[in-house]
């Protein structure tokens, strides 16, 4: 079986690499020539643990990389994994998926393979049936579910765990009509992920499942963040103990209950906005989702208020930010809470020094010479008036009293409670921990 993957971001490149390393013949397509060259030479354009290793194995086996859509002509299955970023008004931008679909439609016209197109990109309910299928039918001159198949197949992988999640998904969702194409795809996934539940449903439901998943995760985070703010005002209370205890209740579950500066990244914030927008457009009340989003937006303001309360006027004062990636083990800073915090601190005229083990280059692209980029955790602390830990990179656990001596004023704000168990000589505030009495 020959498989194509269109769009080589985190999702597409992981999928193409995993499929090819498990002996499928795979073509990965991306319109970015430079990116294709880099990938072809075995380099991954982003930092993602295990991806480069898997890519190298895949390239040695069958994986071919191309910027030319005609390479997918003889594919049996075509996965669409292009990005669906958000527009400034919060709606999703479908231009990339429309372009990819047009190109695929033209290929289907020439092919006699009865190809199956699987939509992995996150799209609002109705997009596959109302936008993608009509484009494919128009460009190919063929009929869906007769001469070619289309299946919605949302993706649940997490950045920094992309390979693990691609190999071991918690479920497979297949949206579409009950046709021979659906049967073929079901068989493919049951072989590839034996024992994993396969849910077959309608296009719109499959698309909705993706939003339900991400908005539920966002809800858990906002819930624990609001609780963390309450705990912080109760002497001796600790949000992590609260989270571990309630997490033991199987109805609640222990994951995604880690309080912090709010959820960031290229998915949860975008998908919350899209769902709120979409819900409104179909006449539904989205007040709950809006509250989840508002709670998330407020979390950074709490940190700013604390800094102002403790340091007074921030202008000219050097503040150290540890971590700009939206989470550890990635260099991705898209919609990172840390970037938002830096922007707000700059508005307060603070001088910012940042350190991140992997994301400094991307951070430089945003701030240029407006902030100081430290080569090490140690030097980032020099003469600082305050330290804020934003991303839970393992190495930040090494912070101790000796390192803190480099600071001018030892104010430590720990949004991830990484140093909570240490006896630090300084004024230490952790999100979600009430002061000891
Ligand atoms: C998220 C989902 O977790 C994936 O299932 C989904 O496939 C993906 O979006 C997507 O739609 O493509 P990802 O964006 O990689 O994955 O990041 P997460 O691991 O979900 O983290 C998102 C944010 O929530 C981060 O800023 C993280 O620090 C924060 N978070 C997460 C918390 O503050 N507390 C937690 O307990 C968990």
């Amino acid at each position: 079986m020959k498989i194509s993957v269109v769009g080589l971001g985190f999702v597409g490149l992981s999928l193409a690499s995993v499929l090819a390393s498990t002996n499928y013949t795979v073509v990965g397509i991306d319109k970015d020539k430079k990116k294709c060259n880099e990938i072809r030479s075995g380099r991954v354009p982003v930092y993602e643990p295990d991806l480069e290793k898997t890519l190298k194995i895949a390239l040695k086996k069958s994986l071919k990389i191309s910027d030319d859509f005609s390479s997918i002509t003889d594919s049996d299955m075509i996965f669409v994994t292009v990005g669906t970023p958000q527009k400034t008004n919060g709606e999703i931008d479908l231009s990339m998926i429309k372009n990819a679909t047009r190109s695929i439609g033209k290929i289907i016209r020439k092919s006699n393979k009865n190809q199956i197109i699987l939509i992995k990109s996150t799209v609002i309910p109705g997009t596959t049936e109302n936008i993608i299928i009509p484009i494919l039918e128009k460009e190919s001159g063929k009929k869906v579910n007769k001469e070619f198949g289309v299946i919605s197949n949302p993706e649940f992988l997490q950045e920094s765990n992309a390979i693990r999640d691609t190999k071991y998904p918690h479920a497979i969702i297949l949206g579409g009509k009950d046709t021979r194409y659906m049967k073929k795809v079901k068989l493919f996934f049951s072989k590839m992920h034996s024992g994993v539940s396969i849910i077959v449903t309608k296009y719109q439901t499959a698309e909705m499942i993706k939003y339900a998943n991400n908005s539920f995760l966002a809800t858990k985070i906002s819930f624990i963040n609001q609780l963390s703010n309450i705990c912080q005002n109760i002497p001796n209370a600790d949000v992590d103990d609260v989270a571990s205890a309630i997490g033991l209740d199987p109805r609640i579950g222990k994951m995604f209950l880690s309080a912090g500066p709010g959820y960031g990244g290229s998915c949860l914030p975008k998908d919350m906005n899209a769902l709120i927008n979409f819900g409104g457009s179909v006449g539904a009340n989205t007040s709950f989702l809006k509250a989840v989003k508002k709670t998330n937006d407020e979390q950074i303001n709490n940190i700013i208020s604390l800094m102002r309360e403790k340091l007074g006027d921030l202008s000219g004062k050097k503040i150290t930010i540890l971590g700009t990636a939206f989470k550890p083990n990635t260099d991705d800073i898209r919609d990172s809470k840390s970037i938002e915090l830096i922007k707000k601190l700059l508005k307060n005229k603070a001088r910012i020094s940042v350190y991140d083990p992997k994301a400094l280059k991307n951070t430089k692209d945003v701030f240029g010479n407006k902030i100081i980029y430290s080569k090490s955790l140690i030097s980032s602390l020099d003469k600082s008036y305050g330290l804020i830990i934003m991303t839970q990179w393992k190495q930040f656990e090494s912070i101790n009293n000796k390192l803190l001596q480099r600071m001018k004023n030892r104010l430590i704000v720990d949004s991830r409670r990484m140093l909570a168990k240490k006896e630090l000589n300084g004024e230490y505030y952790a999100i979600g921990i009430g002061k000891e009495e």
Side-chain angles (χ1 to χ4, degrees), residues 398-415:
S398 68
I399 295 172
N400 55 23
N401 283 323
K402 190 162 170 252
L403 289 188
L404 294 179
Q405 276 173 10
R406 305 177 81 101
M407 296 175 74
K408 191 163 196 148
N409 173 59
R410 290 193 290 271
L411 168 68
I412 303 127
V413 176
D414 185 353
S415 79

Side-chain angles (χ1 to χ4, degrees), residues 36-101:
C36 286
N37 286 336
E38 214 176 330
I39 296 172
R40 227 179 267 125
S41 67
R43 279 196 312 274
V44 173
V46 291
Y47 176 70
E48 174 65 41
D50 293 339
L51 179 51
E52 199 152 292
K53 199 170 74 194
T54 315
L55 170 67
K56 285 190 169 123
I57 298 170
L59 288 167
K60 274 199 191 123
K61 291 193 169 178
S62 71
L63 180 62
K64 295 277 169 295
I65 302 292
S66 175
D67 59 306
D68 177 6
F69 266 87
S70 65
S71 335
I72 70 175
T73 312
D74 56 348
S75 293
D76 302 280
M77 299 206 312
I78 303 165
F79 284 93
V80 179
T81 53
V82 296
T84 48
Q86 69 178 326
K87 299 187 204 164
T88 39
N89 66 0
E91 281 174 26
I92 62 166
D93 179 353
L94 293 176
S95 56
M96 280 193 260
I97 199 161
K98 283 183 183 166
N99 285 339
T101 308

Side-chain angles (χ1 to χ4, degrees), residues 122 155-159 210 213-214 217 221 256-260 262-268 271 326-327 392 416:
T122 302
E155 177 57 54
F156 302 99
L157 74 76
Q158 278 178 280
E159 280 182 33
K210 170 72 189 188
N213 219 93
N214 273 1
L217 295 175
I221 299 169
F256 273 68
L257 286 178
S258 186
Y263 56 80
S266 65
C267 303
L268 299 193
D271 291 353
F326 83 101
K327 64 175 177 180
Q392 64 274 51
R416 308 283 184 174

Side-chain angles (χ1 to χ4, degrees), residues 309-328:
E309 188 191 313
K310 296 293 155 196
L311 296 177
D313 183 5
L314 299 180
S315 67
K317 289 186 179 141
K318 179 174 167 182
I319 295 175
T320 303
I321 308 290
L322 291 184
T324 51
F326 83 101
K327 64 175 177 180

Side-chain angles (χ1 to χ4, degrees), residues 84 92-95 97-98 101 119 121-136 150 152 203-205 207-208 211 278:
T84 48
I92 62 166
D93 179 353
L94 293 176
S95 56
I97 199 161
K98 283 183 183 166
T101 308
I119 310 296
S121 309
T122 302
V123 288
I124 53 159
T127 307
T128 303
E129 197 138 52
N130 303 329
I131 297 176
I132 294 174
I133 291 176
I135 294 177
L136 287 170
V150 176
S152 166
Y203 288 120
Q204 290 82 350
T205 311
E207 292 162 329
M208 189 62 192
Y211 283 100
F278 174 68

